[in-house]
Amino acid sequence: MIRVHELTKRFFADGREIVAVDRLSFEIQPGEVYGLLGPNGAGKTTSIRMIVGLLRPDSGHAEVAGCRTVEAPDDVKAKIGMVSASDGLYPWLTVREMLMFFADLYGVPLRAAEAKLGQLSELLQFNHLLGRRCLRLSTGQKQRVTLARALMHDPPVMLLDEPTRGLDVIGTHVVFDYIGHLREQGKSVIVSTHRLDEAERLCDRFGLLHQGRLLHEGTLTELQQMTGCRSLIDMFTLLLRSDATITPSPVC
Amino acid sequence: MSFTRLARLCLKEWRETLRDRRTIVTLVLMPLLVYPLLSILLQRFLVTSLTDARDPVYLIGLTDDRYLPLLQQYLDAGGEMLRQEDAHAAEAIGNAGAGPDLRDQQPRVQWFGVPDLEQAVRTGQIDVGIVVVVEDEDLPAEGLSAAARYRLMYRRESALSRAAFEYVRECLRAVNDYDLNQQAQAMGERLMLPAAIEARPLAGVDGAVSLTTLVPLILILMTITGAVYPAIDLTAGERERGTLETLMAAPVPRLGLLAAKYVAVLTVALLTAGANLLAMTITLLSSGLSELVFGEQGLSMLVIVQVLALLVLFAAFFSAILLAMTSFARSFKEAQAYLIPIMLLALAPGLLSLMPGLEFSTWLAFTPLVNIVLLARDVFEGTVDPAIAVLAVFSTLLYALAAIAVAARIFGTDALLYGSEGRWSDLFARPLQERPVATLPAAMFCIALLFPGSVLMAGYLSQQEQLAMSHRLLLNALATILLFAAVPWAAARIQRVRVGEGFRMHRSGWLVFLAAALWGLSLWPIAHEIFLLNRWLGLTAVSSEQMDMVSQLLVQLREVSPLLLLLALAVVPAVCEELLFRGYLFAALERSTSGGRAIWISALLFGLFHVVVGSPASPERFLPSTFLGLVLGWLAWYSGSVLPGMLLHFVHNGLLLMLAYYRDALMQRGWGLQQQQHLPASWLIAAGIAIAIGAVFLFVVGRAKRRTIP
């Protein structure tokens, strides 16, 4: 469903070149939840932005359901639901108006959009907020509405960039529950998160990014064998200690 | 993007903008507070500037001292008569104590002998100048009567000068009336008519500014104040709220998003301007200042309609410009920093309207903002030239389109989405991948660049009368190639547009070309009838001078080789104009909208270009050229190629040229045609048959397979 091949992005800052993403390659199948993990500045968000077509890669390409991002950006965008930690809402629109507006942007017919709105508001527990203006929502409520916004067009692919940032325990639980639900529906999901414990429980496979490069990729068991660490937290600690290649270490 | 979808996008932008309380405050409260405040200030200013209305001193000048004693006597006597008239009038209506009391307002008059009366009035040395014109140089013993005329000069912008003029005129009228009465009593012996009075309002020089000329400035302020906030909020605000990334992640064309935002900004600008206009109307009517601002006609319904129409034009322009500027901004703060200089710059052309004697020329009609400011000035002064006005309106709307195209090009680019990586040069950045056709914003931007370019080129070519006709023709051909082929080609290269696809240069069957040639031969009678329809509708009136110019041009053209004529005025325009309108532009339009709309839009722009490339502008060319554009557009759409249209265009132009070139020979054979007459029915039938045969050929071939353009 998602195929990323040699994706590379460089930025220029303070007169020098920074390689934000360096020849990143991976694939994700339908019904698979992929955890894109790494410390701050590892290139997770840049990778997600390139997959959705918000950033142009310097080389390489990303494919979603057979469409390349650069060649058919609108086709790719139509197949993706994206949630970002920095997502905002239109303060003067009601929740209903905002979600219907986004359904319209994705070309969802009015009746189908209304049905989807009813279904999502029930599932994500914000029925009572539909008539409320977005500026009056709490952080948790906003995050649920944002999640619903990304799902209004029922995309086969979900890209979730720090979807639980700023949420309390209950809010986080709702989001992760819903990710499990997406897997059951056969959607391909990429999750970038710092909640490693939740990620460990939820994701089928992981990609460990560091300084723009994919250092390790595989299931939790495979990563444990590769790194010698038992948990993702240990792997991260090791990652931060060594700037280069990870070797099995007895300390984990 | 469909209109209904665009309407839904607009609805969201309206909701988002109009529910914001800050917008409402700008819309309603500001005008409610500002105008009454301004009127109070203006009234106070007038009260102090008119010296003391209860004790005015009028400075009156004369060139000929001989009449001074008599005029002094007349003004004294006239003043006395006015007081008596006033007293009688007050008694007649039964409220002697009410109303203005002239006895208390008797002005003091100072007399001056002035050699140059007109200059003295203009410069404000005196308030009124009196010239006494008498047929008989000897002063009549009975005073100035039928043999004399008073010519009164005053400054129309000065309230004091107008008041002095009114006083002098009324005094002299009173004396005349008295004289008439005296003569009537003496009827039978001798009857003489009273002296006539002739008023001459003069425009003042330094510092003499009419308040009417301030109206364009007020219009600028009215529309800018309304458009600034929504323009920032709907562009830079999207990024600050964090909604820009989400919006850009949706599969919706940026031009559609920007069009909706433009409609929202325009709406708010118009609402603000409407609120301003309402508050201004109420204030002016209630304070009695309307005549002072809008002249003698005051704030009539016509003036209100004129102001409204101009407001739409100002708002259309400013909304687009502000949207384009704020699309570059990454935050509210940055957007404000961009807009402050823009607002200051916008006031500069507004001040131009205050410059006395500045003529609204063809060149200024194409200068952004200056054109609408001067148009507003001329509308209120009642001196507007319709042809210049049409040019100013069209060019302003095209500049607005270009600004929206720029906004669509830059809004939501990764440079703006992700801040520090962004550069202004990204606006002109080449895409990494080849693209089959140009984007619509890029094509519109190119058209907007070509518009003033064509006008400048037409103006330049019209001034090259000293060159031989053959050289002028070659220069004209070169200009056409540069503008209509080289510029879009360069634009296509910059955007990595594939030339074959981007200019729709595809093969077509020979039957299609045959049909195109047949249509090229047979369309001109219809174009001729449309030209006559133009005249019948009163849309154009070709003057005898213009006809003479055309005749002279034809004589000059007959001096050059017909081959050169065909090359310069048929082959080159056919190839180059088709490349632009039915190639580059049409491909971009067809990708973004339906075929029907692509045909109409390209045809209208084709018609407009033919209006402006004439020097002077030729509005009579709009309908025939648009008609030809529709046919060419349809053929391009049906055949899927620009090439048959080139043949049609060439045959059409070439035939008309040759008919004109060999007109005398044709006339000798009895095939003459008066330009102002309908064609014989047999010609029209023949043309109709040829068109039908061409249509059958096209029907046989069928419509070209739709090429899938990603």
Side-chain angles (χ1 to χ4, degrees), chain B residues 250-309:
Chain B
V252 59
R254 269 189 278 181
L255 189 62
L257 288 175
L258 260 297
K261 288 180 185 301
Y262 175 70
V263 171
V265 176
L266 180 65
T267 307
V268 179
L270 285 175
L271 282 175
T272 313
N276 274 272
L277 186 59
L278 185 68
M280 190 175 84
T281 307
I282 294 169
T283 307
L284 286 178
L285 290 177
S286 59
S287 62
L289 290 171
S290 65
E291 282 188 21
L292 191 69
V293 177
F294 288 102
E296 286 175 7
Q297 82 270 31
L299 193 57
S300 63
M301 190 47 78
L302 177 67
V303 171
I304 291 174
V305 171
Q306 286 173 337
V307 173
L308 267 176

Side-chain angles (χ1 to χ4, degrees), chain B residues 114-287:
Chain B
V114 181
D116 188 346
L117 212 54
E118 199 168 307
Q119 183 65 16
V121 174
R122 285 183 196 277
T123 53
Q125 282 177 282
I126 54 172
D127 298 318
V128 173
I130 304 177
V131 180
V132 180
V133 185
V134 277
E135 288 174 6
D136 185 359
E137 278 302 311
D138 297 327
L139 192 63
E142 64 275 31
L144 298 169
S145 56
R149 292 166 68 81
Y150 304 117
R151 185 175 294 150
L152 305 184
M153 301 175 199
Y154 65 100
R155 282 189 312 287
R156 60 186 173 207
E157 304 87 0
S158 162
L160 186 64
S161 180
R162 283 203 307 268
F165 158 71
E166 289 289 343
Y167 176 73
V168 173
R169 185 174 66 172
E170 283 303 297
C171 287
L172 294 175
R173 182 202 47 84
V175 172
N176 275 346
D177 287 354
Y178 174 79
D179 195 26
L180 187 64
N181 286 332
Q182 291 296 105
Q183 288 182 47
Q185 283 174 17
M187 277 280 280
E189 290 182 15
R190 198 161 63 115
L191 178 64
M192 291 179 73
L193 290 171
I197 298 171
E198 185 185 315
R200 272 192 67 197
L202 299 172
V205 285
D206 304 332
V209 175
S210 162
L211 284 176
T212 309
T213 55
L214 288 172
V215 175
L217 265 178
I218 297 170
L219 291 176
I220 289 175
L221 291 172
M222 276 184 184
T223 42
I224 280 193
T225 49
V228 163
Y229 178 73
I232 297 176
D233 189 54
L234 295 179
T235 49
E238 289 268 13
R239 187 170 188 269
E240 257 186 20
R241 280 192 294 270
T243 47
L244 184 58
E245 190 177 74
T246 319
L247 203 58
M248 290 298 106
V252 59
R254 269 189 278 181
L255 189 62
L257 288 175
L258 260 297
K261 288 180 185 301
Y262 175 70
V263 171
V265 176
L266 180 65
T267 307
V268 179
L270 285 175
L271 282 175
T272 313
N276 274 272
L277 186 59
L278 185 68
M280 190 175 84
T281 307
I282 294 169
T283 307
L284 286 178
L285 290 177
S286 59
S287 62

